[in-house]
Short mmCIF file of all heavy atoms in Angstrom, two decimals:
data_model
loop_
_atom_site.label_atom_id
_atom_site.label_comp_id
_atom_site.label_asym_id
_atom_site.label_seq_id
_atom_site.Cartn_x
_atom_site.Cartn_y
_atom_site.Cartn_z
N ALA M 15 79.86 19.88 9.66
CA ALA M 15 81.13 20.47 10.08
C ALA M 15 80.90 21.66 11.00
O ALA M 15 81.56 21.81 12.02
CB ALA M 15 81.95 20.89 8.86
N ASP M 16 79.90 22.53 10.66
CA ASP M 16 79.60 23.70 11.49
C ASP M 16 78.25 23.47 12.17
O ASP M 16 77.19 23.77 11.61
CB ASP M 16 79.53 24.97 10.61
CG ASP M 16 80.88 25.24 9.97
OD1 ASP M 16 81.90 24.88 10.57
OD2 ASP M 16 80.89 25.78 8.85
N ASN M 17 78.30 22.92 13.37
CA ASN M 17 77.06 22.61 14.09
C ASN M 17 76.56 23.85 14.81
O ASN M 17 77.34 24.68 15.28
CB ASN M 17 77.30 21.49 15.11
CG ASN M 17 77.56 20.15 14.44
OD1 ASN M 17 76.97 19.87 13.41
ND2 ASN M 17 78.43 19.35 15.02
N THR M 18 75.23 23.95 14.91
CA THR M 18 74.61 25.01 15.70
C THR M 18 74.26 24.53 17.09
O THR M 18 73.53 25.20 17.81
CB THR M 18 73.34 25.50 15.00
OG1 THR M 18 72.46 24.39 14.83
CG2 THR M 18 73.66 26.09 13.64
N PHE M 19 74.78 23.37 17.49
CA PHE M 19 74.50 22.80 18.81
C PHE M 19 75.80 22.18 19.32
O PHE M 19 76.65 21.77 18.54
CB PHE M 19 73.40 21.75 18.73
CG PHE M 19 73.62 20.71 17.66
CD1 PHE M 19 74.39 19.59 17.91
CD2 PHE M 19 73.06 20.88 16.40
CE1 PHE M 19 74.61 18.65 16.93
CE2 PHE M 19 73.27 19.93 15.42
CZ PHE M 19 74.05 18.81 15.69
N PRO M 20 75.96 22.08 20.63
CA PRO M 20 77.18 21.45 21.17
C PRO M 20 77.14 19.94 21.03
O PRO M 20 76.09 19.31 21.18
CB PRO M 20 77.15 21.86 22.65
CG PRO M 20 75.71 22.10 22.95
CD PRO M 20 75.09 22.61 21.68
N VAL M 21 78.28 19.35 20.71
CA VAL M 21 78.42 17.90 20.59
C VAL M 21 78.93 17.39 21.94
O VAL M 21 80.02 17.74 22.39
CB VAL M 21 79.38 17.51 19.45
CG1 VAL M 21 79.54 16.00 19.38
CG2 VAL M 21 78.86 18.05 18.12
N HIS M 22 78.10 16.56 22.60
CA HIS M 22 78.42 16.07 23.93
C HIS M 22 79.22 14.77 23.84
O HIS M 22 79.22 14.09 22.80
CB HIS M 22 77.13 15.84 24.73
CG HIS M 22 76.31 17.07 24.88
ND1 HIS M 22 76.59 18.06 25.80
CD2 HIS M 22 75.20 17.51 24.21
CE1 HIS M 22 75.70 19.03 25.71
NE2 HIS M 22 74.84 18.72 24.74
N ASN M 23 79.82 14.42 24.96
CA ASN M 23 80.56 13.16 25.01
C ASN M 23 79.61 11.99 25.24
O ASN M 23 78.42 12.17 25.49
CB ASN M 23 81.64 13.21 26.08
CG ASN M 23 81.07 13.58 27.44
OD1 ASN M 23 79.86 13.55 27.63
ND2 ASN M 23 81.92 13.93 28.38
N ALA M 24 80.17 10.79 25.18
CA ALA M 24 79.34 9.58 25.25
C ALA M 24 78.69 9.42 26.62
O ALA M 24 77.53 8.99 26.71
CB ALA M 24 80.19 8.35 24.91
N GLU M 25 79.37 9.77 27.70
CA GLU M 25 78.81 9.61 29.04
C GLU M 25 77.58 10.49 29.24
O GLU M 25 76.55 10.04 29.75
CB GLU M 25 79.87 9.96 30.09
CG GLU M 25 81.04 8.96 30.14
CD GLU M 25 82.07 9.34 31.19
OE1 GLU M 25 81.86 10.41 31.82
OE2 GLU M 25 83.04 8.60 31.37
N THR M 26 77.68 11.75 28.81
CA THR M 26 76.54 12.67 28.93
C THR M 26 75.35 12.16 28.14
O THR M 26 74.20 12.18 28.61
CB THR M 26 76.94 14.07 28.44
OG1 THR M 26 78.11 14.49 29.13
CG2 THR M 26 75.82 15.07 28.68
N LEU M 27 75.61 11.69 26.91
CA LEU M 27 74.53 11.18 26.07
C LEU M 27 73.89 9.94 26.68
O LEU M 27 72.66 9.78 26.69
CB LEU M 27 75.06 10.88 24.66
CG LEU M 27 75.49 12.09 23.85
CD1 LEU M 27 76.18 11.66 22.57
CD2 LEU M 27 74.31 12.98 23.51
N VAL M 28 74.72 9.03 27.20
CA VAL M 28 74.19 7.80 27.82
C VAL M 28 73.31 8.14 29.02
O VAL M 28 72.21 7.60 29.19
CB VAL M 28 75.35 6.86 28.19
CG1 VAL M 28 74.85 5.73 29.09
CG2 VAL M 28 75.96 6.26 26.94
N ASN M 29 73.78 9.06 29.87
CA ASN M 29 72.99 9.46 31.05
C ASN M 29 71.66 10.09 30.63
O ASN M 29 70.61 9.80 31.22
CB ASN M 29 73.79 10.43 31.92
CG ASN M 29 74.96 9.77 32.60
OD1 ASN M 29 74.88 8.59 32.95
ND2 ASN M 29 76.05 10.49 32.76
N PHE M 30 71.71 10.97 29.62
CA PHE M 30 70.48 11.63 29.17
C PHE M 30 69.49 10.62 28.60
O PHE M 30 68.30 10.62 28.98
CB PHE M 30 70.83 12.68 28.11
CG PHE M 30 69.60 13.29 27.46
CD1 PHE M 30 68.83 14.21 28.15
CD2 PHE M 30 69.23 12.92 26.18
CE1 PHE M 30 67.71 14.76 27.56
CE2 PHE M 30 68.11 13.47 25.60
CZ PHE M 30 67.35 14.38 26.28
N TYR M 31 69.95 9.76 27.70
CA TYR M 31 69.02 8.82 27.06
C TYR M 31 68.53 7.75 28.03
O TYR M 31 67.40 7.26 27.90
CB TYR M 31 69.67 8.17 25.84
CG TYR M 31 69.72 9.10 24.65
CD1 TYR M 31 70.86 9.82 24.33
CD2 TYR M 31 68.60 9.32 23.87
CE1 TYR M 31 70.90 10.70 23.27
CE2 TYR M 31 68.62 10.19 22.79
CZ TYR M 31 69.77 10.88 22.50
OH TYR M 31 69.80 11.75 21.44
N ARG M 32 69.35 7.40 29.01
CA ARG M 32 68.87 6.44 30.02
C ARG M 32 67.82 7.06 30.92
O ARG M 32 66.88 6.38 31.35
CB ARG M 32 70.05 5.95 30.86
CG ARG M 32 70.96 4.99 30.12
CD ARG M 32 72.12 4.52 30.97
NE ARG M 32 71.67 3.70 32.08
CZ ARG M 32 72.49 3.13 32.96
NH1 ARG M 32 73.80 3.33 32.86
NH2 ARG M 32 72.01 2.40 33.94
N ASN M 33 67.93 8.36 31.21
CA ASN M 33 66.99 9.01 32.13
C ASN M 33 65.73 9.52 31.45
O ASN M 33 64.65 9.45 32.04
CB ASN M 33 67.69 10.17 32.86
CG ASN M 33 68.79 9.70 33.76
OD1 ASN M 33 68.69 8.63 34.35
ND2 ASN M 33 69.86 10.47 33.87
N ASP M 34 65.86 10.06 30.23
CA ASP M 34 64.75 10.79 29.61
C ASP M 34 64.10 10.07 28.43
O ASP M 34 62.98 10.44 28.05
CB ASP M 34 65.24 12.17 29.12
CG ASP M 34 65.63 13.06 30.27
OD1 ASP M 34 65.25 12.74 31.40
OD2 ASP M 34 66.33 14.07 30.05
N VAL M 35 64.75 9.09 27.83
CA VAL M 35 64.20 8.47 26.61
C VAL M 35 63.87 7.00 26.84
O VAL M 35 62.74 6.56 26.63
CB VAL M 35 65.18 8.64 25.43
CG1 VAL M 35 64.63 7.95 24.18
CG2 VAL M 35 65.42 10.12 25.13
N LEU M 36 64.85 6.23 27.28
CA LEU M 36 64.67 4.79 27.43
C LEU M 36 63.98 4.47 28.75
O LEU M 36 64.02 5.25 29.71
CB LEU M 36 66.02 4.08 27.36
CG LEU M 36 66.79 4.24 26.04
CD1 LEU M 36 68.13 3.56 26.14
CD2 LEU M 36 66.00 3.70 24.86
N THR M 37 63.35 3.30 28.79
CA THR M 37 62.67 2.84 29.99
C THR M 37 62.97 1.37 30.21
O THR M 37 63.26 0.63 29.25
CB THR M 37 61.15 3.04 29.88
OG1 THR M 37 60.68 2.35 28.71
CG2 THR M 37 60.77 4.50 29.80
N GLY M 38 62.84 0.93 31.46
CA GLY M 38 62.93 -0.48 31.77
C GLY M 38 64.31 -1.06 31.52
O GLY M 38 65.36 -0.48 31.82
#
């Protein structure tokens, strides 16, 4: 309920994980 980090939207998360985590 009380996060110490910002909760991003789905587009931001998809762009981040496509660029920095996933490959191919």
Side-chain angles (χ1 to χ4, degrees):
D16 297 330
N17 291 324
T18 58
F19 51 85
V21 178
H22 301 281
N23 55 14
E25 292 180 358
T26 306
L27 293 172
V28 168
N29 291 327
F30 173 75
Y31 283 99
R32 287 180 67 178
N33 294 326
D34 294 344
V35 178
L36 299 177
T37 56

